[in-house]
Amino acid sequence: MPVDLTNERPLAWDSATLDADTKKMLDHLQPNILKAHVRDHLSVLFVRFNDVAAGRRYLRRIAETKMKSARRHLEEVRDFATTGHRGTPYVGIGISKAGYRDLGHSVEDLRKFGDKAFRDGMKRRVAEVLDPPVAEWDNCYQREIHAVILIGDAEREPVEALREELLNDLPPGARLLGEETGQGMHNPAGDGIEHFGYVDGRSQPLFLKDEVDKEPKEHWNPAFPLSNVLVADPLAADPARHFGSYFVFRKLEQNVRAFKEIEQELADNLGLADADRARAGAMLVGRFKDGTPVTLKGEAGGGTVVNDFTFDADEGSKCPFSGHIRKTNPRSHSREVIMARRGQTYGRRDDDAWDDSPPETRPSGEVGLLFMAFNSSLQSQFEFTQQSWANNPDFEVSETGHDPVIGQGERDIKVTYPKVWGKPGMSPPQTQVAQTVTMKGGEYFFMPSLAYLRAL
């Protein structure tokens, strides 16, 4: 029988009683969707094909010789935990609507993809999410991208070797339009961070039983059904058992210097002194730099990055409604909106992102986040999050402001912040913080099943 994507129970992928259809699904699903693949070093290649047969042969060869299945990835993770034996690099392939067309698919085939945002492509969705005009994007993203190829590993050398091999194998009619290089960043505790210096990557939806079992869940359930990320692959041989995911890629440049100046200015405006000054940035992000949720504590500390919490008892006196993690995952409702984020930082810098160096020592550009996320619906998940939550100054309460991290659009209202953590009393109205994250381009892709790729 077909795989039930709506089952609320997390997937026990290695259970002896796992049914044959689910095994088949995992054997033909790309890795990095249900569980993040280790990819501290990442190469992202954007390719255009101009020959149907050559493009098909190229992708088929990669799928047959370089790509592993989701099940093989999970087996490698288990083997590493028990034996220390390292797994193989991650290779992923996403195809845009234009790419499917260039691979010879008909208009009727393209209509089988149910997501209008995917069929439109990111360039035609600028108005929906208030992105900058396409003419302001990096040159690569202004062009018609057919496929994205992701290569990731814990070490640099395997990524570089695979990148070189795949580029050398590009057919004569194909072109490399551009590429991005990602490299993971970590604080002294070993937690992944982004360029503003804050712990990143938590509050992820979890789909696998072994991951869910490790998480405390007294307040918030991290288990999500497969339907949050998987859809039937409409062009595969057996869509009832072959699945893929809609993939959003966005290059987000971060002005770290400006953000750090904003943190200091906000702390001054709120009269925060000494150690309490760190709460200014925590109210913007929703967590302190070490990952401590500001809705739980008024100061950093605790040792582990807590994820078992909700905002239900916080009416804005601890974490403002505009706090980034509250805007993008309010936790109390609309769980079907939550995406599986797989982002990676990019750009080199000479300073330490997590320390307290003055703003003038921070980069003002050329660093940022390669935002990547898997969705079952680009419209109902990524675009909804951006449009109805991050860019909406009236979510969840009127006049709370834009998401101060990723929000886009005119900031024409003033906002207030709690003066003392957890107590009544708000600050005088403050001008919203300036936008310090700039979208530099991207595209929507579909990550097809291995069954589709290997049949090209």
Side-chain angles (χ1 to χ4, degrees):
M1 61 183 297
V3 178
D4 180 11
L5 299 182
T6 63
N7 194 327
E8 293 289 338
R9 293 195 303 271
L11 179 62
W13 67 272
D14 56 352
S15 169
T17 60
L18 192 67
D19 64 274
D21 289 317
T22 303
K23 289 180 181 178
K24 183 175 182 179
M25 179 270 288
L26 291 172
D27 284 336
H28 292 92
L29 184 69
Q30 293 195 43
N32 200 36
I33 301 175
L34 297 185
K35 178 182 177 67
H37 195 287
V38 174
R39 58 202 186 289
D40 278 350
H41 298 274
L42 180 72
S43 181
V44 186
L45 310 177
F46 298 101
V47 177
R48 178 188 176 97
F49 302 112
N50 294 300
D51 181 287
V52 172
R56 282 176 167 258
R57 284 195 301 269
Y58 179 71
L59 294 182
R60 182 178 70 241
R61 187 161 58 247
I62 295 175
E64 290 176 340
T65 63
K66 306 301 180 186
M67 296 179 70
K68 58 189 170 188
S69 69
R71 186 147 74 117
R72 181 58 195 154
H73 170 221
L74 297 175
E75 290 171 346
E76 288 182 353
V77 172
R78 183 183 58 192
D79 291 346
F80 179 78
T82 56
T83 69
H85 184 265
R86 287 182 50 201
T88 55
Y90 161 61
V91 177
I93 289 178
I95 305 174
S96 69
K97 189 278 295 281
Y100 276 106
R101 183 197 63 217
D102 197 72
L103 292 172
H105 287 287
S106 66
V107 172
E108 289 72 23
D109 282 343
L110 296 178
R111 288 194 183 117
K112 295 177 182 178
F113 290 95
D115 194 282
K116 186 178 187 300
F118 171 75
R119 298 196 308 271
D120 286 346
M122 191 175 289
K123 296 180 186 66
R124 295 177 61 188
R125 307 291 291 186
V126 166
E128 276 73 13
V129 293
L130 301 182
D131 279 339
V134 175
E136 297 178 8
W137 296 7
D138 286 356
N139 183 63
C140 165
Y141 304 107
Q142 294 184 36
R143 307 178 75 178
E144 186 178 80
I145 300 169
H146 290 165
V148 60
I149 303 172
L150 305 170
I151 309 167
D153 195 72
E155 305 294 334
R156 183 189 308 275
E157 290 77 10
V159 174
E160 291 180 343
L162 261 175
R163 172 192 174 275
E164 191 72 19
E165 183 177 351
L166 296 184
L167 289 180
N168 288 337
D169 285 346
L170 270 177
R175 296 188 63 184
L176 178 68
L177 299 181
E179 61 180 305
E180 301 287 357
T181 300
Q183 184 170 337
M185 299 170 56
H186 303 272
N187 62 18
D191 299 310
I193 61 173
E194 48 72 54
H195 279 286
F196 291 152
Y198 290 79
V199 166
D200 195 24
R202 290 295 277 154
S203 301
Q204 292 276 19
L206 302 181
F207 308 101
L208 307 175
K209 185 177 184 301
D210 52 357
E211 288 195 299
V212 172
D213 287 348
K214 296 176 184 177
E215 290 283 330
K217 34 192 171 290
E218 180 182 353
H219 304 287
W220 189 72
N221 180 11
F224 284 71
L226 300 179
S227 56
N228 269 62
V229 286
L230 297 186
V231 294
D233 185 345
L235 303 183
D238 187 358
R241 294 167 181 81
H242 297 153
F243 293 89
S245 185
Y246 292 105
F247 180 70
V248 54
F249 181 94
R250 290 161 69 81
K251 182 179 181 180
L252 304 177
E253 184 180 63
Q254 294 175 254
N255 186 335
V256 183
R257 184 178 304 172
F259 188 83
K260 293 302 174 182
E261 290 172 346
I262 286 169
E263 286 180 329
Q264 291 194 359
E265 183 179 357
L266 181 59
D268 290 342
N269 291 344
L270 298 180
L272 303 179
D274 301 325
D276 200 32
R277 291 179 65 84
R279 190 162 57 86
M283 287 190 291
L284 299 177
V285 176
R287 292 183 186 267
F288 288 88
K289 286 200 294 186
D290 70 348
T292 301
V294 73
T295 193
L296 295 184
K297 293 180 63 178
E299 59 186 9
T304 59
V305 182
V306 178
N307 198 42
D308 184 25
F309 68 93
T310 70
F311 300 103
D312 293 347
D314 182 3
E315 293 300 321
S317 66
K318 299 174 181 177
C319 180
F321 285 96
S322 61
H324 169 61
I325 69 167
R326 188 168 192 168
K327 275 277 195 180
T328 55
N329 185 359
R331 292 178 174 246
S332 59
H333 57 82
S334 303
R335 285 171 59 87
E336 69 279 1
V337 174
I338 306 304
M339 304 167 278
R341 293 168 286 114
R342 303 289 185 254
Q344 179 64 287
T345 48
Y346 75 88
R348 296 183 179 275
R349 51 192 293 185
D350 299 324
D351 62 321
D352 292 328
W354 60 84
D355 68 16
D356 294 321
S357 298
E360 56 267 25
T361 67
R362 306 299 192 179
S364 58
E366 304 301 322
V367 301
L369 178 71
L370 304 176
F371 178 86
M372 295 171 278
F374 292 102
N375 306 248
S376 59
S377 169
L378 293 164
Q379 283 183 281
S380 300
Q381 291 175 278
F382 167 70
E383 289 194 349
F384 179 89
T385 298
Q386 195 73 36
Q387 181 182 50
S388 299
W389 290 353
N391 296 344
N392 180 4
D394 296 318
F395 174 78
E396 297 176 79
V397 176
S398 63
E399 298 192 347
T400 56
H402 291 68
D403 182 325
V405 178
I406 65 167
Q408 300 183 128
E410 295 296 326
R411 290 156 161 76
D412 53 2
I413 63 170
K414 292 189 175 183
V415 298
T416 59
Y417 299 90
K419 290 192 295 186
V420 179
W421 184 84
K423 294 184 178 180
M426 304 298 284
S427 72
Q430 308 280 319
T431 300
Q432 289 190 64
V433 302
Q435 184 173 325
T436 57
V437 175
T438 303
M439 188 271 197
K440 305 296 285 186
E443 186 54 279
Y444 292 144
F445 300 92
F446 187 74
M447 290 288 199
S449 65
L450 296 176
Y452 167 83
L453 291 170
R454 291 169 179 169
L456 283 171

